[in-house]
Amino acid sequence: MDIEIYRNPNCKKVRGSHVLEVCCAYCKCLIARYLKVGESNLVKMYNERIIEGTIDFSVYHGAIFCPNCGKRIATRYTTKMDKKEAYRLTPSAFNKRKL
Ligand SMILES: [Zn+2]
């Protein structure tokens, strides 16, 4: 099965960040490569820090579903503090690893 990788044109470089690969916990399909700042738990992904993924992040989605198995990975919301577009990750639905 071919899964396309879409670059996110809205991604901004973030100083001091590292790249995390976020995968579906059920089928291990890549969901996104993400610029993470700090070592805290990954609970959300800001849209503007998603480098690329198997979902077209140039448009906003109400929720993110694995393109391979269809499980829900995250739900869209706006952060309270800085009013940014983000996705709240479902804790059991994803795996992450540092690149
Ligand atoms: Zn999956």
Side-chain angles (χ1 to χ4, degrees), residues 3-4 14 17-18 35 40 46 64-65 80 88-89 94:
I3 292 184
E4 209 175 326
V14 189
S17 62
H18 58 272
L35 291 172
S40 59
Y46 288 107
I64 294 173
F65 296 95
K80 269 206 182 96
R88 192 188 313 277
L89 290 152
F94 72 98

Side-chain angles (χ1 to χ4, degrees), residues 10-19 34-38 46 48-51 84:
N10 305 311
C11 185
K12 297 176 186 162
K13 283 252 182 316
V14 189
R15 190 181 295 238
S17 62
H18 58 272
V19 180
Y34 183 70
L35 291 172
K36 177 78 170 74
V37 176
Y46 288 107
E48 66 184 28
R49 289 197 204 159
I50 297 170
I51 304 163
K84 285 183 175 175

